[in-house]
Amino acid sequence: AQTVTQSQPEMSVQEAETVTLSCTYDTSESDYYLFWYKQPPSRQMILVIRQEAYKQQNATENRFSVNFQKAAKSFSLKISDSQLGDAAMYFCAYRRMTGTYKYIFGTGTRLKVLA
Amino acid sequence: EPEVTQTPSHQVTQMGQEVILRCVPISNHLYFYWYRQILGQKVEFLVSFYNNEISEKSEIFDDQFSVERPDGSNFTLKIRSTKLEDSAMYFCASLAVPTDTQYFGPGTRLTVL
């Protein structure tokens, strides 16, 4: 069975600084998707970034980028130039390319941004 | 931009009562999901629905739960006899095609007293 682990329950970053959130996963599949979702206090799930496992290039979305290490089964999220609005829970998620396409989420990392 | 909607945003019910949570997925989507998030915990998969039938369900999704797509637009989750431990945020999500990303609704907060 696939699992997703986020070992940092909470992280803090100074405004304008860079922070990296960690995520590891376990799967026997060779093709899959990985995602980072942001959940602000409203609890809406907002897609931050997604990575296809077959792509070697790391995904980037503006200030957000990932470091995808397939062999190590690691998928970290880097937030550059952190802003107060980045404060939220961040969930890493895994999805197979076959089956029902359900998501498997990690336990989340709460990010605090300090002014 | 199309979005998934959920109603109500907050439902309060007494233990033992039946509740129906409603979702309107994005219109051309084919795959539908319910997830649950107990306060302070991770988001957990409940059930997936495709081609008018359940395609997968988790251990959480016991006989007290059911899903339906009654009219081609709504997607509902029914809990027959609510328990205190059913208190959680329930998210609906939909997916157009397998290569796409799931779109999540804003959630329904269920409080069982």
Side-chain angles (χ1 to χ4, degrees):
Chain A
Q2 295 89 12
T3 58
V4 177
T5 301
Q6 294 179 251
S7 58
Q8 305 155 315
E10 191 171 293
M11 294 280 285
S12 295
V13 62
Q14 288 290 139
E15 201 175 0
E17 297 294 306
T18 295
V19 65
T20 299
L21 309 184
S22 300
C23 173
T24 58
Y25 58 94
D26 190 26
T27 183
S28 58
E29 307 277 328
S30 58
D31 286 324
Y32 45 86
Y33 294 100
L34 295 164
F35 307 86
W36 279 98
Y37 277 85
K38 172 184 177 182
Q39 187 181 49
S42 67
R43 300 184 75 181
Q44 170 90 51
M45 297 292 285
I46 302 166
L47 177 67
V48 175
I49 201 164
R50 97 173 199 171
Q51 174 81 44
E52 291 86 349
Y54 62 84
K55 289 186 178 178
Q56 292 188 338
Q57 187 171 5
N58 289 323
T60 299
E61 287 287 343
N62 301 314
R63 298 183 295 108
F64 298 88
S65 61
V66 298
N67 183 6
F68 173 49
Q69 301 288 328
K70 190 172 183 180
K73 295 180 182 172
S74 169
F75 182 61
S76 60
L77 174 70
K78 185 170 86 171
I79 306 173
S80 304
D81 185 25
S82 296
Q83 301 174 358
L84 294 176
D86 294 334
M89 279 292 282
Y90 285 81
F91 290 98
C92 177
Y94 165 97
R95 203 205 86 182
R96 292 174 63 191
M97 281 198 173
T98 58
T100 61
Y101 318 116
K102 70 179 182 188
Y103 282 19
I104 298 169
F105 286 90
T107 50
T109 296
R110 180 172 301 283
L111 179 65
K112 296 184 176 182
V113 181
L114 309 173
Chain B
E1 186 175 327
E3 58 183 20
V4 177
T5 59
Q6 290 186 242
T7 53
S9 57
H10 190 190
Q11 172 99 43
V12 181
T13 190
Q14 295 290 326
M15 190 169 56
Q17 294 296 304
E18 174 184 288
V19 295
I20 297 176
L21 310 183
R22 291 184 167 79
C23 168
V24 179
I26 296 172
S27 62
N28 63 339
H29 284 196
L30 302 175
Y31 303 84
F32 311 106
Y33 306 84
W34 283 101
Y35 294 85
R36 181 182 82 174
Q37 185 185 30
I38 294 170
L39 185 64
Q41 298 187 21
K42 69 177 177 181
V43 179
E44 299 174 289
F45 167 77
L46 286 178
V47 66
S48 59
F49 193 85
Y50 171 72
N51 202 25
N52 285 318
E53 60 183 22
I54 291 174
S55 47
E56 184 177 353
K57 57 184 180 180
S58 71
E59 292 176 353
I60 304 167
F61 195 89
D62 61 23
D63 291 344
Q64 293 299 314
F65 291 87
S66 62
V67 289
E68 202 175 40
R69 189 160 157 78
D71 56 12
S73 61
N74 291 285
F75 179 50
T76 62
L77 174 69
K78 183 194 292 186
I79 309 175
R80 252 181 284 282
S81 178
T82 49
K83 306 182 186 72
L84 295 176
E85 53 265 37
D86 293 328
S87 293
M89 195 79 162
Y90 289 80
F91 292 101
C92 172
S94 69
L95 175 71
V97 294
T99 52
D100 201 359
T101 298
Q102 286 184 25
Y103 289 76
F104 282 81
T108 292
R109 183 190 301 271
L110 176 66
T111 302
V112 182
L113 302 176

